[in-house]
Amino acid sequence: MEIKINGKECTCEKGEFLLEVAKRNGFDIPTLCHHPGLAEQGCCRVCIVEVVENGRSKVVVSCVYPLERPCEVFTDSEKIKEERSVILMLLKTRAPASLEIQAMCDKYGVFETSRLKPVDGEKCILCGLCVKACGALGTGAISTINRGVTKKVATPYENPSNDCIGCTSCAQVCPTGAIEWSEDGETRTIWGKNFALAKCESCGRIISTEAELRFAGERAGVETNSLCESCRKKSMADVLAHTYGIE
């Protein structure tokens, strides 16, 4: 199927999400809550674009908009620039401490207003990526709690979670740097809980937390190997070399 993006003819499959087609063809559409490893969120609205079908224009969220018929797309029309500026203004008000959002505001422009009061020190935009990543892993250690203006992401009762394994998957997918964690070489701290670090028995490189290593072994039903990726490949190569008599 043929569509046109900013005047360029592009080919796509029916049902493909517009964001992926645009990215594949070299068009820059900003995103926050989109992550290739997780199902579509469509909650931050930063990736809006203008779609014209049968002479009618509409604004859509490109990360969750499936292409069903030929159309013309504008990623940076004046209408989109104006609406995206308002969206960024609202996000900046919600999470004024996020350097990532500030950088996006600087790049794409933001509608300035003094009518809204920023949430002091906040970085989270409640996109839900961290909760989804934790759930996909199978731990479900965090979730959104409370409602309205007090809604936030936290562990149950905001106490250290028995289910958390310190893998930092939540922090890795967070688009605004809201989830903080630290390491001192022996211990990793996240969500108010300390985790002993597991190190490669060959080179001493940090692999993960001991809790994450146990969790992975239990899910796979095998005894976990305390080797980093590089040492594991080297060990496998040594075994194959010995098996086939290769010096």
Side-chain angles (χ1 to χ4, degrees):
M1 185 172 70
E2 296 291 329
I3 67 169
K4 187 179 289 186
I5 304 178
N6 294 347
K8 177 184 176 181
E9 295 288 347
C10 303
T11 302
C12 67
E13 296 293 331
K14 186 176 181 179
E16 273 194 277
F17 289 120
L18 179 49
L19 177 65
E20 297 304 320
V21 177
K23 289 173 62 177
R24 187 170 68 238
N25 285 276
F27 293 101
D28 176 38
I29 298 177
T31 62
L32 275 174
C33 72
H34 175 75
H35 191 280
L38 298 169
E40 295 72 23
Q41 296 282 94
C43 60
C44 75
R45 296 298 193 265
V46 174
C47 69
I48 58 171
V49 298
E50 186 176 359
V51 173
V52 179
E53 293 180 348
N54 298 322
R56 293 185 177 182
S57 170
K58 59 183 176 181
V59 174
V60 305
V61 180
S62 62
C63 71
V64 292
Y65 185 77
L67 291 161
E68 301 292 343
R69 60 189 64 84
C71 62
E72 189 165 7
V73 179
F74 300 95
T75 66
D76 57 355
S77 64
E78 290 304 314
K79 183 176 183 178
I80 291 301
K81 288 178 181 178
E82 182 178 345
E83 293 198 19
R84 184 176 288 144
S85 177
V86 173
I87 290 170
L88 288 172
M89 177 270 292
L90 294 172
L91 290 171
K92 184 179 178 180
T93 302
R94 162 67 198 180
S98 171
L99 297 178
E100 289 80 1
I101 290 180
Q102 183 58 58
M104 192 170 285
C105 288
D106 293 340
K107 181 177 181 180
Y108 294 100
V110 61
F111 179 80
E112 298 292 348
T113 180
S114 59
R115 297 175 63 183
L116 299 176
K117 183 180 179 181
V119 183
D120 291 338
E122 185 60 77
K123 294 182 179 180
C124 178
I125 59 171
L126 296 173
C127 69
L129 276 177
C130 58
V131 175
K132 185 167 286 188
C134 190
L137 184 67
T139 55
I142 57 176
S143 62
T144 53
I145 63 172
N146 303 334
R147 294 182 179 181
V149 295
T150 62
K151 186 178 181 180
K152 61 181 176 180
V153 175
T155 53
Y157 304 105
E158 299 187 62
N159 293 321
S161 171
N162 292 329
D163 296 320
C164 184
I165 56 177
C167 64
T168 71
S169 293
C170 55
Q172 300 304 324
V173 300
C174 177
T176 61
I179 301 175
E180 298 180 355
W181 59 281
S182 62
E183 282 183 0
D184 61 8
E186 299 296 329
T187 304
R188 177 181 295 169
T189 302
I190 187 170
W191 294 112
K193 188 175 180 180
N194 297 322
F195 297 89
L197 292 171
K199 299 182 179 180
C200 175
E201 61 187 27
S202 179
C203 70
R205 183 182 304 169
I206 294 173
I207 305 173
S208 62
T209 65
E210 291 181 358
E212 183 182 359
L213 211 58
R214 286 194 301 271
F215 179 80
E218 289 170 1
R219 291 201 68 181
V222 297
E223 184 177 348
T224 53
N225 192 333
S226 298
L227 292 175
C228 68
E229 186 67 22
S230 297
C231 291
R232 187 159 54 246
K233 289 180 179 179
K234 183 178 182 299
S235 176
M236 186 177 297
D238 290 342
V239 170
L240 291 174
H242 178 74
T243 301
Y244 293 103
I246 302 173
E247 294 296 332

